[in-house]
Amino acid sequence: MTFSQSFERQAWPNRAVVTAGMPYGNKPLHFGHIAGVFVPADCYARFLRDRIGGDNVRFVSGTDCFGSPIDEGYRKLVEAGEFDGTIAEYVQRNHDAQKATLDSYGISLDIYQGSGIGNAGERHQQLTENIIRRFHENGWLHLEETQQFYDAEAGVFLNGRQVVGRCPVQGCKSEKGYADECDLGHSYAPEELIAPRSTVTDTVPEMRPVANWYFDLPAFRDFLREHVAGLEADEDVRAIVPQTCAEFLGAPIIYVKNDEREQFEAVEGKLPAHEVREPEKGKASFEVEFATIGERDAARDVLRRAGMRFRTGKALVPFRITGNIEWGVKAPVIDGVEGLTVWCWPESLWAPISFTIAANDERGLPEEAWRDFWCSDDAEVYQFIGQDNLYFYGVAQPAMWEALKPGEIFSHEATDHPLRQTRLIANYHVLLGNKKASSSSAVKPPTADELLEHYTCEQLRAHFLALGLGQKSVGFKPKAFDPDETVRNDTRVADPALKESKLLSNVFNRLARSVLYEAKRNFGGAIPAGDPVAEVRDRAMKALSDYDRTMKKAELHSIMSLMDEFIRYANKHWADGISAAEAANDPAAREQVLVDAAYLLWICALLMHPIVPAGCEDICAKLRFDEGEFFTWEHEFASLRELDGSDAHVVEELPPRYDFF
């Protein structure tokens, strides 16, 4: 089969879920939420709807209603006298603002509710209880009394970001270690945190014993090693995914300072079985390796009592399921243990299932329909996340999905279709200029809404997708927010954020207008029926093939490069062809170049639809085609006659100097 007959189609699932993380319900969305997660996920969801059919895709997300950042944000506002409602009302206010922002960016979610909001919240409570009970029934939960931070002055236990110190994990540079994880995604036992302080009273917290349920994550090390090996062999998986996950799968290690070797040898006999590895040249610490995490923790206690300095390496540790704060999803009562809530991280991992169920509810589908998307062999779940969250999605989640086998989450009957492992699409950080920006750092990011005061939604969508965040951390450098006022006001300085929009406003715009104006001027307001020349159709087939293959890898920056080349080709083919036809005064050539250009415009609009949907849908409307027929890959793409079998397809009359972008 040659390109003049068809294009090379990739194999796609029959159904798909696309997730876009869950922003905390304590603030509006900043540009990182939009650029790093929501726009890439929306582009992919829109592509899949065009590719496999809208009814077969669920694009889900929602506000993360629980967790210490929300507790802290609420507490601070109430103390400052800036909010007098309940914490639920505080979360709802932020959720509403987030939803409005997502709408402003054209984020086409099937549902955006929350882990504690609406029907999705009710579904989430039910699902959470069922999953935790199944963990317990399958033998993967254990009740453990551990030390937890307690603020004696405030009289409360502290979780998450209510405690701040330095990360104890060897090699980690984070100065923002929280109760049991740092801002770079490393987990550790609370008592390992270096120099902790309470954010509630700015005092040094005590350690007090509490009992909570823990998931036996270390028991899944062999499974996870095999799982990560499969990811490494999959050329469609971004390298950062298996690389980051593999860091947690080594043996438990303690790093001890070289200058404390004598103290170590004095207590070494009290340690569980271990192996000492001498430091590599230039290293300040030697390694002590243990067979299990329990043995490492026992050794850590011995070294701590001896007053020694040490750090632990990345390793699989028991994954906390429950917590002791009031605001959270309620944990089921198991073995008489009651009054617990669920730690926000585990429940946020299965929240997309809750959202899928709620989205299906809105469509009037039966409850069990969610399994068609999360369990079927012909379905796929694509999860767009930031690199900092790979431990949770790439290590904890696969183990928990495996732990739910055998059995059905909503009944006690075994099933041959347990949860399928998901495909993680992880992005690096999007920087502001050359620095990492967050609302808790010195570099404050602009909110997503503030950006729209200076740029259009489609300008930003195209630019964010071109950044290449799947390859490395990249700086977002909008001229409107340049700290140098001279640069901001200098009309000679190009705006990096508008680089891609020139393709839209100059080239793509020109192609669309040329087709419609030519149809009105010389063809009675219609596009003649006819086939594009072989060279044009072959070029279109190659673009379709390359695009389909590139989307399979989710290389969205490469999609932008591909489309830049193809749109410029289409516009040049029109410009050269119409010039030649006019010079030769050849009506047949003029008709053929219009047929070619209209065909190329269709292919360009179809392929750009996931990126800049509003402008492409406007092109479809002005061409007077049905969107369902125009934006689908279920064609041979032989000619526009596949969309309209008439001899001349009438199009809308376009006003002078009309802009689609």
Side-chain angles (χ1 to χ4, degrees):
M1 216 175 249
T2 66
F3 271 156
S4 61
Q5 294 174 317
S6 185
F7 71 92
E8 182 182 348
R9 294 177 183 261
Q10 299 295 306
W12 289 93
N14 291 338
R15 287 171 299 281
V17 175
V18 179
T19 75
M22 293 174 66
Y24 277 125
N26 64 330
K27 66 184 71 171
L29 301 179
H30 62 69
F31 81 92
H33 291 119
I34 298 295
V37 179
F38 277 104
V39 164
D42 183 69
C43 175
Y44 214 73
R46 287 178 180 274
F47 162 73
L48 286 170
R49 291 187 187 115
D50 292 345
R51 190 68 177 81
I52 66 174
D55 288 341
N56 299 319
V57 179
R58 300 290 183 271
F59 180 23
V60 302
S61 183
T63 300
D64 194 343
C65 298
F66 307 106
S68 58
I70 295 167
D71 285 334
E72 274 298 277
Y74 174 69
R75 180 186 65 80
K76 289 178 179 177
L77 280 186
V78 170
E79 287 183 355
E82 298 175 17
F83 192 81
D84 60 2
T86 66
I87 191 169
E89 291 169 336
Y90 166 73
V91 171
Q92 184 69 54
R93 183 186 71 171
N94 290 321
H95 166 80
D96 293 342
Q98 292 172 359
K99 179 64 168 65
T101 299
L102 294 171
D103 291 342
S104 297
Y105 277 85
I107 306 301
S108 58
L109 287 152
D110 288 284
I111 192 168
Y112 190 77
Q113 291 187 2
S115 53
I117 294 173
N119 180 50
E122 296 174 8
R123 286 296 198 177
H124 189 54
Q125 178 67 56
Q126 178 190 13
L127 180 65
T128 297
E129 293 178 7
N130 291 347
I131 285 178
I132 292 176
R133 289 189 187 280
R134 181 50 50 89
F135 285 155
H136 186 260
E137 291 167 3
N138 290 354
W140 300 118
L141 283 191
H142 62 271
L143 193 65
E144 185 174 326
E145 186 175 271
T146 60
Q147 298 295 313
Q148 185 170 327
F149 292 109
Y150 183 81
D151 189 318
E153 184 174 319
V156 294
F157 280 102
L158 304 174
N159 282 284
R161 300 190 182 192
Q162 293 172 319
V163 183
V164 178
R166 298 199 307 278
C167 179
V169 174
Q170 175 70 13
C172 181
K173 305 296 185 183
S174 174
E175 292 294 321
K176 288 191 176 178
Y178 304 116
D180 48 16
E181 62 164 324
C182 75
D183 63 345
L184 297 182
H186 301 144
S187 294
Y188 42 79
E191 57 266 32
E192 295 181 79
L193 183 64
I194 299 170
R197 295 195 72 83
S198 167
T199 62
V200 178
T201 61
D202 196 33
T203 59
V204 177
E206 302 174 3
M207 300 301 297
R208 293 192 179 182
V210 295
N212 275 297
W213 291 106
Y214 283 77
F215 174 75
D216 191 3
L217 185 57
F220 289 84
R221 187 164 73 174
D222 289 343
F223 162 77
L224 287 169
R225 284 176 171 172
E226 183 177 345
H227 176 68
V228 169
L231 297 178
E232 290 172 340
D234 190 337
E235 62 179 14
D236 292 337
V237 175
R238 292 177 180 174
I240 187 178
V241 175
Q243 288 171 0
T244 302
C245 295
E247 293 175 357
F248 295 92
L249 304 183
I253 292 175
I254 292 177
Y255 297 86
V256 182
K257 292 289 187 182
N258 294 334
D259 58 9
E260 302 213 2
R261 185 62 175 263
E262 186 175 334
Q263 289 176 271
F264 172 78
E265 292 175 350
V267 298
E268 185 176 5
K270 300 178 182 179
L271 304 181
H274 60 275
E275 178 184 350
V276 175
R277 283 199 290 272
E278 298 303 323
E280 297 178 4
K281 185 176 181 180
K283 297 291 185 180
S285 302
F286 61 93
E287 300 177 4
V288 188
E289 180 180 311
F290 299 88
T292 69
I293 195 69
E295 292 173 340
R296 187 210 70 173
D297 290 348
R300 184 192 62 198
D301 293 340
V302 171
L303 300 182
R304 185 181 292 112
R305 287 195 297 270
M308 295 178 57
R309 293 175 299 159
F310 61 88
R311 286 201 173 193
T312 53
K314 298 175 185 177
L316 296 179
V317 299
F319 191 58
R320 182 160 63 92
I321 297 296
T322 62
N324 306 85
I325 59 175
E326 182 178 350
W327 178 245
V329 179
K330 304 302 179 186
V333 177
I334 299 176
D335 292 348
V337 180
E338 56 186 358
L340 299 178
T341 53
V342 183
W343 184 38
C344 66
W345 258 116
E347 51 95 354
S348 69
L349 295 176
W350 55 73
I353 303 176
S354 306
F355 297 151
T356 303
I357 296 170
N360 285 344
D361 288 344
E362 292 182 353
R363 293 172 179 244
L365 298 176
E367 180 178 276
E368 61 271 16
W370 73 271
R371 293 199 300 267
D372 295 338
F373 291 88
W374 284 86
C375 304
S376 296
D377 292 338
D378 59 359
E380 189 80 79
V381 177
Y382 302 89
Q383 295 193 286
F384 284 77
I385 62 173
Q387 67 175 97
D388 291 350
N389 294 332
L390 273 169
Y391 171 78
F392 299 103
Y393 287 93
V395 178
Q397 178 179 287
M400 291 196 296
W401 273 209
E402 181 71 8
L404 290 170
K405 297 178 181 178
E408 169 57 54
I409 295 173
F410 284 99
S411 75
H412 290 279
E413 298 176 3
T415 176
D416 294 330
H417 298 284
L419 284 172
R420 286 170 50 83
Q421 296 297 339
T422 66
R423 184 169 293 273
L424 302 182
I425 303 174
N427 277 337
Y428 287 84
H429 298 123
V430 55
L431 311 176
L432 182 59
N434 296 316
K435 296 181 179 179
K436 184 179 178 182
S438 73
S439 55
S440 59
S441 70
V443 181
K444 303 298 181 185
T447 67
D449 291 338
E450 287 173 333
L451 286 177
L452 291 176
E453 296 173 7
H454 302 273
Y455 305 96
T456 70
C457 159
E458 299 209 324
Q459 287 172 337
L460 291 169
R461 286 177 65 102
H463 183 61
F464 290 151
L465 291 169
L467 287 177
L469 295 173
Q471 295 185 312
K472 61 181 180 179
S473 295
V474 181
F476 173 50
K477 302 175 181 178
K479 182 181 175 183
F481 291 87
D482 194 297
D484 187 334
E485 185 178 357
T486 304
V487 172
R488 288 199 307 272
N489 297 329
D490 191 338
T491 57
R492 297 169 299 175
V493 177
D495 190 336
L498 294 178
K499 178 182 177 182
E500 292 73 26
S501 70
K502 290 182 171 57
L503 174 70
L504 302 176
S505 58
N506 294 347
V507 189
F508 198 10
N509 226 14
R510 189 182 309 134
L511 175 66
R513 289 191 299 198
S514 297
V515 167
L516 287 154
Y517 288 148
E518 175 66 11
K520 177 180 182 296
R521 279 194 304 264
N522 296 299
F523 293 89
I527 297 171
D531 295 330
V533 298
E535 180 251 326
V536 163
R537 188 162 186 271
D538 286 352
R539 188 63 180 264
M541 293 303 104
K542 183 177 187 308
L544 287 161
S545 297
D546 291 346
Y547 188 105
D548 206 31
R549 183 171 55 253
T550 304
M551 271 296 190
K552 195 78 172 177
K553 294 177 176 291
E555 293 178 349
L556 302 183
H557 67 290
S558 297
I559 288 289
M560 289 299 299
S561 297
L562 186 159
M563 291 311 302
D564 184 283
E565 179 182 348
F566 184 63
I567 291 171
R568 292 183 189 280
Y569 160 79
N571 190 67
K572 186 175 188 302
H573 181 84
W574 158 260
D576 291 348
I578 197 66
S579 295
E582 289 177 343
N585 194 23
D586 185 342
R590 189 175 202 111
E591 178 176 319
Q592 184 63 57
V593 76
L594 177 58
V595 168
D596 290 348
Y599 170 80
L600 287 169
L601 178 60
W602 173 31
I603 305 300
C604 288
L606 170 66
L607 300 185
M608 288 298 287
H609 184 228
I611 300 164
V612 284
C616 292
E617 288 166 10
D618 192 17
I619 290 172
C620 176
K622 297 298 187 294
L623 289 173
R624 289 185 175 173
F625 285 118
D626 176 76
E627 282 190 14
E629 286 293 318
F630 194 81
F631 295 115
T632 176
W633 288 60
E634 294 304 309
H635 293 290
E636 289 299 318
F637 297 107
S639 76
L640 275 177
R641 282 182 294 190
E642 292 178 65
L643 301 177
D644 186 343
S646 62
D647 291 336
H649 175 76
V650 177
V651 298
E652 190 170 312
E653 183 174 338
L654 201 65
R657 295 181 294 278
Y658 187 87
D659 287 325
F660 291 94
F661 302 97

